[in-house]
Amino acid sequence: MSTSTRVELALLGIRGTPPVHRTGGAGPSDDGHLVIDGLAAAIPRNADSPFVFDGDRVLRDGEDIGIGVESVGRPHFYDGATADGVSYEKIARLHGRDVLATTVVQTCIRYRRDQRCRFCSIEESLRVGSTVAVKSPEQIAEVARAAVDLDGVRQMVMTTGTSAGADRGARHLARCVRAVRAAVPELPIQVQCEPPADLKVLTDLREAGADAIGIHVESLDDEVRRRWMPGKSTVPLAEYHAAWAEAVRVFGRNQVSTYLLVGLGEDPDEMITGAKQLADAGVYPFIVPFRPQQGTLAVDVDHAPAPEAAVVEKITREVGAHLRLIDMAGADQRAGCAACGACSALSTIGG
Ligand code: SF4
Protein backbone atom coordinates (compact mmCIF):
# COMPACT_ATOMS: atom_id res chain seq x y z
CA MET A 1 0.00 0.00 0.00
CA SER A 2 1.38 3.41 -0.89
CA THR A 3 1.86 6.01 1.82
CA SER A 4 -0.54 8.34 0.03
CA THR A 5 -3.31 5.70 0.02
CA ARG A 6 -2.70 4.95 3.69
CA VAL A 7 -2.88 8.67 4.48
CA GLU A 8 -6.10 9.03 2.49
CA LEU A 9 -7.62 6.10 4.38
CA ALA A 10 -6.58 7.70 7.67
CA LEU A 11 -8.21 10.99 6.71
CA LEU A 12 -11.27 9.94 4.68
CA GLY A 13 -12.00 6.77 6.65
CA ILE A 14 -14.19 3.90 5.52
CA ARG A 15 -17.91 3.29 5.30
CA GLY A 16 -19.37 0.67 7.58
CA THR A 17 -18.65 -0.66 11.04
CA PRO A 18 -16.02 -3.41 11.35
CA PRO A 19 -16.58 -5.90 14.20
CA VAL A 20 -13.86 -4.29 16.33
CA HIS A 21 -14.42 -0.56 16.67
CA ARG A 22 -14.27 2.27 19.20
CA THR A 23 -16.63 5.12 19.98
CA GLY A 24 -15.33 7.95 22.16
CA GLY A 25 -12.71 7.50 24.84
CA ALA A 26 -9.06 8.48 25.26
CA GLY A 27 -6.96 9.10 22.18
CA PRO A 28 -8.13 8.66 18.61
CA SER A 29 -11.47 6.82 18.40
CA ASP A 30 -14.66 6.46 16.31
CA ASP A 31 -12.79 4.00 14.16
CA GLY A 32 -12.78 0.45 12.91
CA HIS A 33 -9.86 -1.93 13.32
CA LEU A 34 -8.56 -3.72 10.25
CA VAL A 35 -5.43 -5.38 8.96
CA ILE A 36 -4.51 -3.72 5.66
CA ASP A 37 -1.71 -5.24 3.61
CA GLY A 38 -0.58 -7.08 6.72
CA LEU A 39 -0.41 -3.99 8.95
CA ALA A 40 -2.78 -3.03 11.75
CA ALA A 41 -4.88 -0.01 10.81
CA ALA A 42 -7.36 1.95 12.92
CA ILE A 43 -9.44 3.73 10.30
CA PRO A 44 -12.10 6.36 11.08
CA ARG A 45 -15.68 5.38 10.29
CA ASN A 46 -17.19 7.84 7.85
CA ALA A 47 -20.50 7.26 6.09
CA ASP A 48 -19.40 9.66 3.30
CA SER A 49 -16.04 8.04 2.59
CA PRO A 50 -15.28 6.91 -0.97
CA PHE A 51 -13.62 3.83 0.60
CA VAL A 52 -15.50 0.73 1.65
CA PHE A 53 -14.08 -2.63 2.61
CA ASP A 54 -15.71 -5.53 0.90
CA GLY A 55 -14.72 -8.84 2.46
CA ASP A 56 -11.01 -8.97 1.67
CA ARG A 57 -10.67 -5.93 -0.60
CA VAL A 58 -10.84 -2.14 -0.34
CA LEU A 59 -13.05 -0.48 -2.94
CA ARG A 60 -12.79 3.18 -3.82
CA ASP A 61 -15.90 4.51 -5.49
CA GLY A 62 -16.77 0.89 -6.24
CA GLU A 63 -13.38 -0.01 -7.78
CA ASP A 64 -10.91 -2.49 -6.35
CA ILE A 65 -7.71 -0.58 -5.49
CA GLY A 66 -5.64 -3.71 -5.03
CA ILE A 67 -5.23 -3.65 -1.26
CA GLY A 68 -5.81 -6.76 0.83
CA VAL A 69 -7.86 -6.28 3.99
CA GLU A 70 -8.89 -8.43 6.90
CA SER A 71 -11.30 -7.20 9.49
CA VAL A 72 -10.41 -8.08 13.06
CA GLY A 73 -13.00 -10.41 14.57
CA ARG A 74 -14.88 -9.60 17.74
CA PRO A 75 -12.72 -11.06 20.50
CA HIS A 76 -14.04 -13.89 22.67
CA PHE A 77 -12.99 -12.20 25.91
CA TYR A 78 -15.66 -9.52 25.38
CA ASP A 79 -18.22 -12.12 26.47
CA GLY A 80 -16.67 -12.50 29.95
CA ALA A 81 -17.59 -10.64 33.13
CA THR A 82 -15.93 -10.17 36.50
CA ALA A 83 -17.32 -11.81 39.62
CA ASP A 84 -18.97 -8.50 40.52
CA GLY A 85 -20.72 -8.42 37.14
CA VAL A 86 -18.69 -5.92 35.11
CA SER A 87 -18.38 -6.91 31.46
CA TYR A 88 -14.76 -7.46 30.43
CA GLU A 89 -15.46 -5.25 27.42
CA LYS A 90 -15.97 -2.30 29.79
CA ILE A 91 -12.58 -2.88 31.37
CA ALA A 92 -10.32 -3.27 28.35
CA ARG A 93 -10.73 -3.33 24.56
CA LEU A 94 -9.00 -4.95 21.66
CA HIS A 95 -7.08 -2.43 19.53
CA GLY A 96 -5.51 -3.14 16.19
CA ARG A 97 -5.25 -6.90 15.82
CA ASP A 98 -3.55 -7.97 19.03
CA VAL A 99 -3.35 -5.09 21.50
CA LEU A 100 -5.31 -4.98 24.73
CA ALA A 101 -5.96 -1.37 25.70
CA THR A 102 -7.43 0.12 28.82
CA THR A 103 -7.88 3.56 30.34
CA VAL A 104 -7.34 2.76 34.00
CA VAL A 105 -8.96 6.00 35.17
CA GLN A 106 -11.53 7.30 32.70
CA THR A 107 -11.83 10.78 34.22
CA CYS A 108 -9.40 13.66 33.91
CA ILE A 109 -8.88 16.72 36.09
CA ARG A 110 -8.53 18.70 32.89
CA TYR A 111 -11.91 17.71 31.45
CA ARG A 112 -13.57 20.99 32.51
CA ARG A 113 -14.79 22.81 29.43
CA ASP A 114 -12.17 25.59 29.70
CA GLN A 115 -9.28 23.21 30.40
CA ARG A 116 -9.74 20.05 28.37
CA CYS A 117 -7.78 19.12 25.27
CA ARG A 118 -10.05 20.07 22.39
CA PHE A 119 -9.43 16.79 20.53
CA CYS A 120 -10.17 14.57 23.55
CA SER A 121 -13.34 12.67 24.44
CA ILE A 122 -12.02 10.61 27.37
CA GLU A 123 -15.18 10.96 29.46
CA GLU A 124 -17.68 10.44 26.63
CA SER A 125 -17.41 6.64 26.70
CA LEU A 126 -18.01 6.84 30.45
CA ARG A 127 -21.05 9.08 29.96
CA VAL A 128 -22.68 6.57 27.58
CA GLY A 129 -21.93 3.67 29.93
CA SER A 130 -19.51 1.75 27.73
CA THR A 131 -16.80 1.75 30.39
CA VAL A 132 -16.31 2.22 34.13
CA ALA A 133 -14.63 5.20 35.78
CA VAL A 134 -11.86 3.37 37.63
CA LYS A 135 -10.62 -0.10 36.79
CA SER A 136 -9.08 -1.99 39.68
CA PRO A 137 -5.73 -3.77 39.25
CA GLU A 138 -7.49 -7.09 39.90
CA GLN A 139 -10.12 -6.45 37.20
CA ILE A 140 -7.50 -5.49 34.62
CA ALA A 141 -5.34 -8.52 35.43
CA GLU A 142 -8.34 -10.84 35.09
CA VAL A 143 -9.24 -9.40 31.68
CA ALA A 144 -5.63 -9.50 30.50
CA ARG A 145 -5.37 -13.19 31.36
CA ALA A 146 -8.58 -13.92 29.45
CA ALA A 147 -7.56 -11.81 26.43
CA VAL A 148 -4.26 -13.69 26.12
CA ASP A 149 -5.82 -17.11 26.66
CA LEU A 150 -8.89 -16.67 24.46
CA ASP A 151 -7.72 -14.26 21.76
CA GLY A 152 -3.94 -14.41 21.61
CA VAL A 153 -3.41 -10.77 22.60
CA ARG A 154 0.32 -10.01 22.37
CA GLN A 155 0.78 -6.66 24.08
CA MET A 156 -1.02 -4.23 26.34
CA VAL A 157 -1.47 -0.45 26.53
CA MET A 158 -2.55 1.23 29.75
CA THR A 159 -3.37 4.89 29.65
CA THR A 160 -4.97 7.13 32.26
CA GLY A 161 -6.80 10.38 32.63
CA THR A 162 -4.73 12.84 34.64
CA SER A 163 -5.28 12.85 38.40
CA ALA A 164 -4.85 15.76 40.79
CA GLY A 165 -1.83 14.21 42.52
CA ALA A 166 1.80 15.05 41.73
CA ASP A 167 2.16 11.64 40.09
CA ARG A 168 -0.56 12.66 37.56
CA GLY A 169 -2.06 9.17 37.73
CA ALA A 170 1.12 7.13 37.43
CA ARG A 171 0.85 5.43 40.83
CA HIS A 172 -2.45 3.74 39.99
CA LEU A 173 -0.91 2.75 36.65
CA ALA A 174 1.98 1.13 38.52
CA ARG A 175 -0.44 -0.88 40.69
CA CYS A 176 -2.26 -2.07 37.57
CA VAL A 177 0.99 -3.02 35.84
CA ARG A 178 2.10 -5.00 38.88
CA ALA A 179 -1.18 -6.95 38.93
CA VAL A 180 -1.06 -7.77 35.21
CA ARG A 181 2.61 -8.73 35.44
CA ALA A 182 1.75 -11.22 38.19
CA ALA A 183 -1.23 -12.71 36.32
CA VAL A 184 0.22 -12.67 32.79
CA PRO A 185 4.03 -12.51 33.05
CA GLU A 186 4.49 -12.97 29.30
CA LEU A 187 2.46 -9.91 28.24
CA PRO A 188 4.51 -6.78 27.39
CA ILE A 189 2.94 -3.57 28.74
CA GLN A 190 3.19 0.05 27.74
CA VAL A 191 2.00 2.79 30.12
CA GLN A 192 0.98 6.28 29.09
CA CYS A 193 0.83 9.35 31.35
CA GLU A 194 1.70 13.01 31.63
CA PRO A 195 5.19 13.85 32.92
CA PRO A 196 5.03 13.13 36.67
CA ALA A 197 6.27 15.96 38.89
CA ASP A 198 8.54 13.47 40.68
CA LEU A 199 10.52 11.67 37.97
CA LYS A 200 11.27 8.80 40.36
CA VAL A 201 7.77 7.56 39.47
CA LEU A 202 9.15 6.53 36.08
CA THR A 203 11.48 4.08 37.81
CA ASP A 204 8.54 2.85 39.88
CA LEU A 205 6.61 2.13 36.67
CA ARG A 206 9.57 0.26 35.19
CA GLU A 207 10.10 -1.71 38.40
CA ALA A 208 6.39 -2.55 38.49
CA GLY A 209 6.95 -4.29 35.15
CA ALA A 210 6.15 -1.75 32.42
CA ASP A 211 8.20 -2.40 29.29
CA ALA A 212 7.65 0.90 27.48
CA ILE A 213 6.14 4.31 28.13
CA GLY A 214 4.32 6.97 26.17
CA ILE A 215 4.55 10.56 27.41
CA HIS A 216 2.36 12.34 24.90
CA VAL A 217 2.86 16.02 24.17
CA GLU A 218 0.79 16.14 20.93
CA SER A 219 2.45 19.40 19.82
CA LEU A 220 5.86 20.97 20.32
CA ASP A 221 4.54 24.48 19.61
CA ASP A 222 3.58 26.34 22.79
CA GLU A 223 1.06 28.56 21.04
CA VAL A 224 -0.68 25.48 19.59
CA ARG A 225 -0.54 23.79 22.98
CA ARG A 226 -2.21 26.74 24.72
CA ARG A 227 -4.97 26.89 22.09
CA TRP A 228 -5.70 23.15 21.87
CA MET A 229 -4.71 21.98 25.35
CA PRO A 230 -5.30 24.85 27.80
CA GLY A 231 -4.98 22.62 30.88
CA LYS A 232 -2.21 20.35 29.73
CA SER A 233 -0.13 23.21 28.32
CA THR A 234 0.38 24.45 31.89
CA VAL A 235 2.96 21.64 32.10
CA PRO A 236 5.93 23.35 30.42
CA LEU A 237 7.70 21.69 27.50
CA ALA A 238 10.81 21.65 29.67
CA GLU A 239 9.03 19.14 31.96
CA TYR A 240 8.30 16.95 28.97
CA HIS A 241 11.93 17.04 27.88
CA ALA A 242 13.09 16.18 31.40
CA ALA A 243 10.58 13.30 31.61
CA TRP A 244 11.52 11.95 28.17
CA ALA A 245 15.22 12.03 29.06
CA GLU A 246 14.66 10.22 32.34
CA ALA A 247 12.30 7.74 30.66
CA VAL A 248 14.94 6.92 28.01
CA ARG A 249 17.45 6.35 30.82
CA VAL A 250 15.03 4.05 32.66
CA PHE A 251 13.25 2.26 29.78
CA GLY A 252 15.90 2.49 27.07
CA ARG A 253 16.21 4.01 23.61
CA ASN A 254 13.07 3.52 21.50
CA GLN A 255 11.02 2.26 24.45
CA VAL A 256 9.70 5.79 24.98
CA SER A 257 7.31 7.53 22.62
CA THR A 258 5.17 10.59 22.18
CA TYR A 259 2.19 11.40 19.99
CA LEU A 260 2.61 14.33 17.61
CA LEU A 261 -0.75 15.32 16.10
CA VAL A 262 -0.72 16.70 12.57
CA GLY A 263 -3.40 19.28 11.88
CA LEU A 264 -3.43 21.44 15.01
CA GLY A 265 -1.72 24.32 13.19
CA GLU A 266 1.91 23.55 13.99
CA ASP A 267 4.33 24.50 11.21
CA PRO A 268 5.07 21.22 9.34
CA ASP A 269 8.79 21.89 9.02
CA GLU A 270 9.08 22.72 12.71
CA MET A 271 7.22 19.52 13.58
CA ILE A 272 9.57 17.51 11.36
CA THR A 273 12.63 19.11 12.98
CA GLY A 274 11.26 18.52 16.47
CA ALA A 275 10.33 14.93 15.68
CA LYS A 276 13.82 14.20 14.37
CA GLN A 277 15.39 15.70 17.49
CA LEU A 278 13.17 13.56 19.69
CA ALA A 279 14.08 10.44 17.72
CA ASP A 280 17.77 11.27 18.02
CA ALA A 281 17.24 11.52 21.78
CA GLY A 282 15.69 8.03 21.85
CA VAL A 283 12.01 9.05 21.86
CA TYR A 284 9.85 7.63 19.06
CA PRO A 285 7.72 10.40 17.51
CA PHE A 286 4.37 8.79 16.70
CA ILE A 287 2.97 10.94 13.89
CA VAL A 288 -0.83 10.80 13.95
CA PRO A 289 -3.28 12.87 11.92
CA PHE A 290 -5.74 14.85 14.03
CA ARG A 291 -9.07 13.03 13.77
CA PRO A 292 -12.21 15.16 14.08
CA GLN A 293 -14.63 13.18 16.20
CA GLN A 294 -18.03 13.82 17.74
CA GLY A 295 -18.03 14.62 21.43
CA THR A 296 -14.89 16.76 21.27
CA LEU A 297 -14.81 20.54 21.51
CA ALA A 298 -12.80 20.57 18.27
CA VAL A 299 -15.82 19.24 16.39
CA ASP A 300 -18.80 20.31 18.47
CA VAL A 301 -17.62 23.91 19.00
CA ASP A 302 -14.71 24.67 16.66
CA HIS A 303 -15.78 22.58 13.63
CA ALA A 304 -12.08 21.89 13.08
CA PRO A 305 -11.34 20.01 9.84
CA ALA A 306 -9.01 17.05 9.35
CA PRO A 307 -5.53 18.04 8.13
CA GLU A 308 -4.64 18.19 4.45
CA ALA A 309 -3.42 14.89 3.06
CA ALA A 310 -0.33 16.52 1.51
CA VAL A 311 0.79 17.82 4.91
CA VAL A 312 0.25 14.48 6.66
CA GLU A 313 2.10 12.69 3.88
CA LYS A 314 5.04 15.11 3.89
CA ILE A 315 5.53 14.86 7.66
CA THR A 316 5.05 11.09 7.66
CA ARG A 317 7.54 10.59 4.81
CA GLU A 318 10.23 12.89 6.21
CA VAL A 319 10.01 11.64 9.77
CA GLY A 320 9.78 8.05 8.52
CA ALA A 321 12.92 8.51 6.41
CA HIS A 322 14.79 9.81 9.45
CA LEU A 323 13.58 6.90 11.58
CA ARG A 324 14.87 4.46 8.99
CA LEU A 325 18.18 6.34 8.81
CA ILE A 326 18.75 6.01 12.55
CA ASP A 327 17.35 2.48 12.63
CA MET A 328 14.40 3.28 14.89
CA ALA A 329 11.19 1.35 14.13
CA GLY A 330 7.94 1.44 16.03
CA ALA A 331 7.79 -2.33 15.64
CA ASP A 332 10.90 -2.55 17.84
CA GLN A 333 9.07 -1.13 20.84
CA ARG A 334 8.16 -3.92 23.24
CA ALA A 335 4.58 -2.66 23.56
CA GLY A 336 2.45 0.38 22.93
CA CYS A 337 1.03 2.54 20.18
CA ALA A 338 4.30 2.69 18.24
CA ALA A 339 4.51 -1.11 18.34
CA CYS A 340 0.89 -1.37 17.19
CA GLY A 341 1.17 1.38 14.60
CA ALA A 342 -2.52 1.34 13.67
CA CYS A 343 -3.19 5.04 14.26
CA SER A 344 -0.26 6.27 12.15
CA ALA A 345 0.92 5.81 8.57
CA LEU A 346 4.57 5.57 9.67
CA SER A 347 4.54 1.76 9.66
CA THR A 348 3.76 1.69 5.91
CA ILE A 349 7.20 3.16 5.26
CA GLY A 350 9.03 1.12 7.85
CA GLY A 351 9.30 3.86 10.48
S1 SF4 B 1 -1.90 2.86 17.89
FE1 SF4 B 1 -2.46 2.91 20.09
S2 SF4 B 1 -4.50 3.92 20.16
FE2 SF4 B 1 -4.11 3.29 18.00
S3 SF4 B 1 -5.07 1.26 17.82
FE3 SF4 B 1 -2.91 0.89 18.33
S4 SF4 B 1 -2.85 0.75 20.57
FE4 SF4 B 1 -4.82 1.68 20.03
Side-chain angles (χ1 to χ4, degrees), residues 22 33 95-96 99 157 259 286 337 340 342-343:
R22 299 182 283 182
H33 293 241
H95 279 204
V99 183
V157 174
Y259 268 62
F286 195 51
C337 288
C340 167
C343 288

Side-chain angles (χ1 to χ4, degrees), residues 130-161:
S130 57
T131 188
V132 292
V134 179
K135 288 86 173 175
S136 73
E138 297 73 25
Q139 287 175 324
I140 296 172
E142 184 178 336
V143 177
R145 184 71 263 170
V148 169
D149 292 346
L150 301 177
D151 297 289
V153 156
R154 292 154 62 100
Q155 58 127 316
M156 181 159 197
V157 174
M158 287 187 199
T159 191
T160 184

